[in-house]
Amino acid sequence: MNVAILFSGGKDSTMALYNALEAKEDVKYLLSMKSRNDESYMFHVPNIHITDLLSQALDIPIISAETDGIKEEELKDLKVAFENLKDLGVEAIYSGALYSTYQKSRIEKLCSEVGLKAISPYWHVDELEYMRKIVSLGFKIIICGVAAWGLDESWLGRVIDDEAIDELVKINEKYQVNIAFEGGEAETLAIDGPIFKKRIKILKDKKEWHLDSGVYIIEDAVLEDKL
């Protein structure tokens, strides 16, 4: 089946891509929705500009569409993007939705209206098992935004490994933070993994912290050959 991935570069959309490839789907495109609004309800914002580089690293064409990121209004922009993909022969959209009914229901509704199949391969997955799986598969995921109790500035730019997951389990016990960040507790970015043809090398970055939340911004990055 010809498919496209709703792709932010974060761990969940990257895992959706991984699942599609494992299922032997013909992944024609990545679809990156670039929101001008940091408070978008639907779309990942931190480091969304890196998706173009990720497209090259993954060797999969990317289609980017801009949106003002206004609640509900942004769905019109997504529908247009879906219509364009349909015209290009795409039959299904994969997304990285885990527990967000808000996101999943709207993607499914738009896909239905356009005539596409909607697939969320990790819907209601066990969060801890899922995070362990990401690490065990060899994906290198960094945290590029935090907004939850227990997650301080030291988490910005940190690679998610088993030690980090162990800490997240303890933070969850104390603050009920979703271990997979599905409540918006953190944003992530994949920079390497088993499906990557090349890895992302970060050359310049910065952290911005505001009282109890912050972002990790990649200012410059290049592709690096894998050994």
Side-chain angles (χ1 to χ4, degrees), residues 24-196:
K24 307 301 181 186
E25 305 280 28
D26 191 351
V27 180
K28 294 294 188 182
Y29 304 100
L30 307 174
L31 171 62
S32 175
M33 297 299 296
K34 296 184 176 180
S35 174
R36 301 181 187 93
N37 178 12
D38 291 345
E39 304 301 323
S40 169
Y41 275 72
M42 281 293 295
F43 307 121
H44 172 109
V45 175
N47 294 308
I48 193 67
H49 61 286
I50 299 296
T51 53
D52 294 333
L53 200 60
L54 285 168
S55 166
Q56 297 175 51
L58 293 159
D59 195 25
I60 299 173
I62 191 167
I63 293 175
S64 297
E66 293 191 346
T67 177
D68 288 332
I70 300 170
K71 188 177 181 181
E72 298 302 327
E73 290 293 316
E74 60 192 350
L75 298 175
K76 297 176 183 178
D77 300 317
L78 183 58
K79 184 175 182 179
V80 170
F82 282 177
E83 289 171 340
N84 291 338
L85 288 170
K86 172 80 171 178
D87 290 341
L88 290 169
V90 168
E91 301 167 87
I93 302 292
Y94 271 70
S95 77
L98 301 183
Y99 284 87
S100 173
T101 301
Y102 179 91
Q103 183 186 59
K104 183 172 182 284
S105 64
R106 282 156 178 78
I107 291 171
E108 289 178 345
K109 182 176 183 292
L110 293 180
C111 281
S112 177
E113 291 173 357
V114 172
L116 295 169
K117 186 177 180 181
I119 301 172
S120 301
Y122 295 104
W123 183 243
H124 280 189
V125 70
D126 179 276
E127 304 123 53
L128 181 55
E129 289 180 8
Y130 174 68
M131 294 293 276
R132 296 287 190 200
K133 179 178 181 178
I134 292 172
V135 172
S136 67
L137 286 171
F139 283 99
K140 187 173 182 180
I141 309 292
I142 60 173
I143 294 177
C144 53
V146 296
W149 289 109
L151 298 176
D152 59 23
E153 189 174 358
S154 68
W155 284 86
L156 294 176
R158 182 172 177 179
V159 174
I160 297 176
D161 54 15
D162 283 320
E163 182 180 344
I165 295 172
D166 290 341
E167 289 183 40
L168 288 170
V169 170
K170 294 177 181 178
I171 291 171
N172 167 265
E173 291 170 354
K174 187 173 183 179
Y175 297 109
Q176 287 73 57
V177 168
N178 186 291
I179 295 169
F181 311 139
E182 186 64 359
E185 294 90 343
E187 301 281 6
T188 60
L189 185 75
I191 58 174
D192 195 10
I195 57 177
F196 282 62

